[in-house]
DNA sequence: TCGACATATTCAATTTTGCGAATATGACAA
DNA sequence: TTGTCATATTCGCAAAATTGAATATGTCGA
């Protein structure tokens, strides 16, 4: 209705996606989809921490999730949201191209060609657990 | 460089413009310019409070200011920033058209046709001072 | 059913931020 | 130079957000 009311609605969206970790998640997912272990590997953050942000983004209808066996895949609900983030990226002067990180994680989605199940690289012992 | 570093740069911009009052300021200014007393009248907030946000937006190079006598006029530095806000507005399902509030304030910029100086309506006694 | 693995949730704490009150600065008229 | 008006700045606190640690849930193979 009023200008400030509108501003509050807009603020709600921006606030939801603003935390760096969430922006990184959105950029990592891009127009595709990603499981939690994949994001874990790409971002170098702990699983529980990433999951928290995913939950917040899901509850705000920014992300949609799809379960496949043990894995849960997330994708961006509205393409315009990605445009928004990339637009902000241009303003910030950063490269917002989808990160080229093929098969960091060994979930079936990342390495479909491999037969059988192999545990996700992100949680294997040799993976560096920073933060 | 890294995905998270980029995300932090983007977050800096979004964080700066996210507070509702600042979004309202940006929408109120639009592609034009506005003095503080005008924003005061449109937003219905106290002068000191608005000035704080203006200062933050100026220090982040979101806004540019221009002094004309006692009045200081603000304008959006980068048109893409306004596009960003309006894009977010579309996502939020709100109308982000420039608010139609002609001459709320009686600064010379708002009422150029009027001869002589008249104090800004926003701080006159009959103006409702909420917040 | 048991164990391993992927993911979700809860809890607490540090840090940030929104926002008000009070006050300062700067310009112009008389 | 004194007063008025427009705007800027500083200070402080209550509220909220980010994030870590610990733990729970759910799925699947053996």
């Amino acid at each position: 209705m009023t200008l400030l009311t509108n501003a509050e609605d807009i603020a709600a969206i921006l606030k939801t996606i603003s935390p760096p970790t969430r922006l990184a998640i959105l950029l990592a997912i891009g127009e595709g989809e990603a499981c939690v272990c994949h994001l874990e590997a790409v971002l170098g953050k702990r699983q529980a921490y990433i999951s928290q942000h995913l939950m917040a983004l899901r509850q705000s209808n920014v992300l949609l999730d799809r379960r496949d066996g043990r894995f849960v895949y997330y994708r961006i609900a509205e393409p315009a949201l990605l445009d928004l983030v990339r637009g902000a990226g241009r303003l910030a002067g950063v490269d917002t191209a989808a990160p080229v990180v093929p098969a960091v994680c060994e979930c079936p989605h990342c390495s479909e060609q491999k037969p059988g199940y192999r545990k996700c690289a992100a949680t294997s012992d040799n993976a560096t657990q920073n933060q």
Side-chain angles (χ1 to χ4, degrees), chain A:
Chain A
M1 297 285 227
T2 158
L3 182 59
L4 238 106
T5 314
N6 283 346
E8 278 167 9
D9 290 344
I10 301 177
I13 290 188
L14 295 183
K15 223 174 188 180
T16 304
I17 65 173
S18 281
T21 305
R22 298 188 191 170
L23 289 170
I25 287 174
L26 294 177
L27 288 175
I29 294 179
E31 25 267 305
E33 62 177 11
C35 62
V36 180
C37 67
H38 185 91
L39 296 171
E40 196 179 347
V42 172
L43 300 185
K45 300 284 183 180
R46 291 237 166 99
Q47 176 272 319
Y49 183 52
I50 290 179
S51 213
Q52 285 181 97
H53 288 295
L54 288 173
M55 176 174 47
L57 291 171
R58 182 170 22 103
Q59 288 176 345
S60 307
N61 298 313
V62 170
L63 292 183
L64 298 176
D65 60 333
R66 168 181 76 85
R67 165 152 243 146
D68 182 12
R70 312 186 196 188
F71 299 89
V72 177
Y73 294 98
Y74 286 89
R75 64 185 185 282
I76 298 178
E78 177 60 57
L81 263 165
L82 191 57
D83 297 338
L84 189 76
V85 175
R86 289 183 174 156
R90 271 189 298 278
L91 279 171
V94 303
D95 176 32
T96 54
V100 189
V101 273
V104 251
C105 152
E106 302 191 20
C107 71
H109 192 266
C110 273
S111 48
E112 288 162 329
Q113 69 285 6
K114 299 175 191 170
Y117 169 76
R118 293 178 55 185
K119 76 170 182 178
C120 177
T123 53
S124 71
D125 303 322
N126 52 4
T128 10
Q129 286 290 347
N130 36 11
Q131 274 279 2

